[in-house]
Amino acid sequence: MPKFRKKPVEIEKQNIARREEADRKWREKQAKDRAEYDAAIEAAPVMRRDEAKWQEGIDAQKGDGYGLAVYGFAEAWARLMQARLAEGKKIADVADDCCSIADKAFGITGFMYGCAVSALAVCWDHGEELRRWHNLKTQIRDEGERANDSGAVLNPALLSVG
């Protein structure tokens, strides 16, 4: 074996060290993200909503973790937005950033995001404004405008090819 080649044992040790370093960095980022979320949510007001409709939505999940995570994320997102709306900001100015902060605790999918918008549109005091903003942000052509006219919520998890 030529001298310039590493032995398999040395390569494996290097691979283990790289994996451990990547894992350490990931754990640090997770802890930082969680601390940011915890601080933001602690300062956020209680979500203003139609309690009966909200509870109806939660009850419809029948203990399903995926659906309940949607509601948990939606509540956190709404509370974070409410804190900024109280400062005189608009949904369009705060929704994306607040979504990113709330997502640090929930790790939602695109479909879950769309479900959260739908739940908030029905139950939250600022839900209609959020729904309209979301549809226009999500549209490719004019389907967001049509969804706004009909009261629908566009699904951001769809894939369009072509």
Side-chain angles (χ1 to χ4, degrees):
M1 186 179 288
K3 286 185 176 182
F4 61 88
R5 296 186 79 185
K6 294 181 182 178
K7 295 180 182 178
V9 172
E10 293 171 0
I11 293 170
E12 183 60 23
K13 284 181 184 178
Q14 289 175 343
N15 287 342
I16 289 169
R18 279 196 294 272
R19 283 193 301 268
E20 288 173 350
E21 177 64 12
D23 185 57
R24 183 189 63 75
K25 287 180 180 178
W26 181 83
R27 289 181 192 281
E28 284 177 2
K29 182 180 181 323
Q30 290 295 105
K32 180 183 172 211
D33 287 351
R34 186 61 196 220
E36 180 184 357
Y37 168 80
D38 288 344
I41 204 70
E42 185 177 316
V46 173
M47 180 182 164
R48 293 188 314 265
R49 62 186 177 218
D50 179 320
E51 281 299 329
K53 287 181 183 175
W54 185 257
Q55 192 59 51
E56 183 181 319
I58 289 176
D59 291 345
Q61 304 315 307
K62 298 184 172 124
D64 173 57
Y66 189 90
L68 291 173
V70 168
Y71 275 84
F73 166 78
E75 181 171 11
W77 186 24
R79 289 179 60 198
L80 294 170
M81 287 188 283
Q82 276 180 196
R84 296 199 185 167
L85 294 173
E87 299 169 356
K89 296 181 180 170
K90 297 183 185 315
I91 291 282
D93 300 329
V94 303
D96 282 332
D97 187 49
C98 291
C99 177
S100 294
I101 294 168
D103 189 39
K104 291 177 180 186
F106 291 90
I108 63 163
T109 66
F111 181 74
M112 292 169 91
Y113 172 88
C115 291
V117 172
S118 293
L120 291 173
V122 172
C123 301
W124 185 42
D125 286 2
H126 303 281
E128 180 62 11
E129 183 182 356
L130 177 69
R131 183 188 71 79
R132 290 180 165 282
W133 166 82
H134 160 80
N135 285 339
L136 295 179
K137 178 183 171 244
T138 304
Q139 74 180 355
I140 297 169
R141 292 181 189 86
D142 69 339
E143 61 276 9
E145 294 154 7
R146 288 182 291 149
N148 281 345
D149 291 342
S150 72
V153 174
L154 292 181
N155 180 348
L158 295 177
L159 175 65
S160 178
V161 179

